Amino acid sequence: MAGSSVSVDLSQAMATAPVAAGDWLVVAPSLITMLGGALCLMLRKNTDLQPKLGIAFLGALVLASLTLLVRVLDHGVITMVMGSWLPPFGIAFTVDALGATLSFIGSIVAFCGGLFGAASVDSTGRRYGFYPFLLLLMTGVCGAFLTGDVFNLYVWFEVLLISSYGLLVLGNDRIQLDGAVKYGVLNLVGTNLFLIATGLLYGIFGTLNMADISLKVAALDNPASGTLATVAALYFLAFAMKAAAFPVNFWLPASYHTPNVVVSAVFAGLLTKVGVYALIRVFVLILPASRDHLADLIALVAIVTLITGAIGALAQSEVRRLLGYVVIAGIGSMLAGVAVGSTLAISGAIFYAVHSIVVMTALYMAAGVMHMLGGSYDLRKLGGLYRKNVAFAGVFLVLGFAVSGLPPFSGFWPKIMLVDAAFRDDELRFGTALGAAILVSGFLTTLAMGRVWIFAFWRGGPEGTPDGQTADAVEVEAPQLSGGAVWLPLGILTALVVYFGLQPEWMIELATQGASGVDQPFGYQRSVFGEQG
């Protein structure tokens, strides 16, 4: 009735208290990258300005992500609800140690990619959107790591996928379009499965807030019911596609070798890890009983992914294709942590994800430098790179040791944690086989990376030339890589690989805190709902 007033109690529907100034850091990564991407897009015709703007915004992203991580470690889980609407009415950004850690490491990788792109992306690539696409890719990546809502996670997946399509076809070569089709089809299928599962989840619980669902699942008499098992199976298939797990992994080695090498580097470092992150978030935080039900299946998928990835790497002569299979083998290690499901195993999976983000990005960048020095990505056409640049030969050897899980570098510690967790698990049917597969995959990866180093660096010249003599370099159409834009990002990432290997305590503590946050989500729930949660 006009003129009447109705008293409405908003205490259960809206957050009426003002947001603490420090909590605005929750949305800072997404705001910085969206603003930077829009500005770079508007100024895309100024190709000389593009790297400066892009790198500046990516540097700001690193600072914002670091500050957010520090605040989470100091104050615990942080939640900000959009429009002040509390769950289940509104969308929440909820940041714990897991999300903040991956956002920070991802921002470092993106910053290094922006630096490397200043040398490897020509003026045409800049004009057609390398830096806007890279910044918008990071909008999706950071949003996925920081959101506390399942549908919002789907939206951020869409953002990063759309921008990744743009990066993949940048250059418009026929091989890039072919790779983009394979990449796009499988990811579209995975996205549709993700959306279907999310719709079913909403139909069951009437909410998509992660903390809210975890509370409601815990209150069920049968949290491993057939309906929830179906939802969990759909989520597993969708995220396995995005993470490039066997048998839906063929799109990765068919597409990651086609774009500019810096695009391959960023993709290898970040995109599959978002899929693994989603698996951890859904199966450990939201549907732990369903994870228990599917543990043996996840373990089998992990075993086959580990072995096929490593064998695939051994069979390749094209360096970027070889590295694509190494990415797949690493996904198997992370799936092993999800299969075991203990705090130690999830900690190992998180540490391995951080290690893989850094080392795979660095290895693809190193492949770009190999192309600069030798004129090819084909091992049969490479040789004598040790003599051309001794320091770079040492850097590649360090990265090869690290990705193989050899001490004293970053890959050693998470593999130890995962193998230990797998051998300790008496309930998992394939626990022993899973631990053995991690070790066998590491051995085969060592052979594959050793083969690259011997052929490309140690022998004197390409195939068909006398050993000890370096053949004339092949003419290269791509722009030559030189200066700090190449060596600085590669140096930063290699330094992190060494640091995480020699001083692993900090990363182990972060990974353990992140695993505890999803395995025992009381702090996560309390951040969203207050003490009543």
Side-chain angles (χ1 to χ4, degrees):
M1 180 176 179
S4 67
S5 61
V6 179
S7 178
V8 178
D9 180 14
L10 296 178
S11 62
Q12 299 300 312
M14 297 189 71
T16 55
V19 178
D23 288 356
W24 285 98
L25 288 166
V26 171
V27 294
S30 297
L31 291 177
I32 289 170
T33 49
M34 280 192 284
L35 177 62
L39 187 59
C40 287
L41 185 63
M42 289 187 291
L43 300 174
R44 65 187 182 278
K45 293 183 180 179
N46 190 336
T47 55
D48 292 332
L49 185 61
Q50 287 286 311
K52 299 173 184 177
L53 278 176
I55 292 168
F57 277 101
L58 291 168
L61 174 64
V62 173
L63 293 177
S65 299
L66 174 59
T67 309
L68 177 60
L69 175 60
V70 171
R71 183 166 180 82
V72 169
L73 296 178
D74 288 343
H75 295 81
V77 184
I78 303 173
T79 294
M80 174 182 279
V81 291
M82 303 300 104
S84 297
W85 289 101
L86 295 172
F89 307 107
I91 293 173
F93 271 45
T94 303
V95 187
D96 58 3
L98 170 59
T101 298
L102 293 180
S103 179
F104 173 55
I105 298 298
S107 66
I108 293 175
V109 162
F111 175 73
C112 291
L115 285 173
F116 201 88
S120 65
V121 179
D122 60 17
S123 59
T124 302
R126 296 175 189 177
R127 180 183 177 88
Y128 285 100
F130 171 74
Y131 284 98
F133 281 133
L134 178 59
L135 284 160
L136 293 176
L137 178 78
M138 290 310 299
T139 303
V141 170
C142 291
F145 288 149
L146 303 180
T147 188
D149 183 275
V150 179
F151 183 75
N152 203 227
L153 177 63
Y154 165 80
V155 171
W156 292 123
F157 262 106
E158 288 296 286
V159 172
L160 71 89
L161 283 174
I162 290 169
S163 52
S164 67
Y165 296 146
L167 287 169
L168 199 59
V169 300
L170 203 64
N172 202 33
D173 290 339
R174 183 174 182 177
I175 190 173
Q176 290 178 287
L177 298 177
D178 178 68
V181 169
K182 296 171 183 175
Y183 173 86
V185 169
L186 260 292
N187 275 280
L188 285 174
V189 172
T191 298
N192 283 323
L193 290 172
F194 185 2
L195 187 59
I196 292 169
T198 301
L200 290 173
L201 195 67
Y202 184 75
I204 296 169
F205 295 109
T207 179
L208 291 173
N209 181 270
M210 295 179 185
D212 201 5
I213 296 172
S214 68
L215 287 169
K216 291 183 176 181
V217 169
L220 292 176
D221 294 331
N222 182 16
S225 66
T227 305
L228 283 180
T230 301
V231 172
L234 287 171
Y235 273 130
F236 178 66
L237 181 56
F239 296 143
M241 284 185 179
K242 294 181 180 299
F246 183 88
V248 285
N249 54 4
F250 56 85
W251 60 267
L252 191 151
S255 58
Y256 272 25
H257 71 288
T258 60
N260 187 295
V261 70
V262 68
V263 174
S264 300
V266 174
F267 281 14
L270 292 176
L271 296 194
T272 52
K273 312 314 179 297
V274 181
V276 172
Y277 166 82
L279 274 172
I280 293 173
R281 188 65 78 187
V282 169
F283 278 88
V284 184
L285 174 67
I286 299 177
L287 303 172
S290 297
R291 189 217 63 81
D292 295 340
H293 187 69
L294 294 173
D296 289 334
L297 173 63
I298 298 172
L300 279 175
V301 171
I303 290 169
V304 181
T305 303
L306 279 160
I307 301 303
T308 56
I311 292 175
L314 276 171
Q316 300 303 311
S317 294
E318 210 272 7
V319 176
R320 293 174 300 173
R321 282 182 178 270
L322 183 152
L323 293 178
Y325 282 100
V326 174
V327 172
I328 292 171
I331 296 301
S333 295
M334 289 172 259
L335 286 178
V338 178
V340 177
S342 64
T343 301
L344 176 61
I346 298 301
S347 301
I350 294 170
F351 193 169
Y352 197 95
V354 170
H355 147 77
S356 184
I357 287 171
V358 174
V359 77
M360 291 314 307
T361 306
L363 277 169
Y364 270 94
M365 289 182 181
V369 178
M370 291 168 66
H371 187 251
M372 173 196 73
L373 296 174
S376 178
Y377 291 109
D378 192 334
L379 290 178
R380 293 166 295 187
K381 299 177 182 178
L382 291 171
L385 299 188
Y386 180 88
R387 292 184 178 181
K388 290 188 175 183
N389 195 309
V390 175
F392 173 62
V395 165
F396 190 90
L397 195 61
V398 167
L399 297 175
F401 279 11
V403 80
S404 303
L406 299 177
F409 305 111
S410 59
F412 176 70
W413 300 105
K415 284 204 172 184
I416 289 292
M417 296 166 70
L418 290 167
V419 170
D420 185 23
F423 285 156
R424 286 190 185 190
D425 194 331
D426 296 328
E427 298 181 2
L428 188 66
R429 185 180 305 176
F430 305 106
T432 302
L434 187 59
I438 294 172
L439 297 175
V440 171
S441 178
F443 173 71
L444 295 177
T445 303
T446 304
L447 296 180
M449 299 309 297
R451 177 169 168 264
V452 173
W453 200 84
I454 290 171
F455 280 23
F457 292 89
W458 188 253
R459 71 177 177 181
E463 192 174 286
T465 63
D467 189 47
Q469 298 180 16
T470 304
D472 293 335
V474 179
E475 290 296 325
V476 185
E477 296 181 2
Q480 290 293 304
L481 313 179
S482 61
V486 171
W487 304 113
L488 179 58
L490 189 56
I492 291 172
L493 296 175
T494 305
L496 286 175
V497 165
V498 175
Y499 175 74
F500 289 152
L502 298 179
Q503 299 290 331
E505 294 85 1
W506 178 71
M507 195 58 243
I508 291 174
E509 176 60 29
L510 270 182
T512 302
Q513 191 168 337
S516 299
V518 290
D519 189 37
Q520 303 167 11
F522 312 112
Y524 193 93
Q525 295 161 353
R526 188 163 49 248
S527 173
V528 176
F529 294 106
E531 293 300 326
Q532 64 179 353

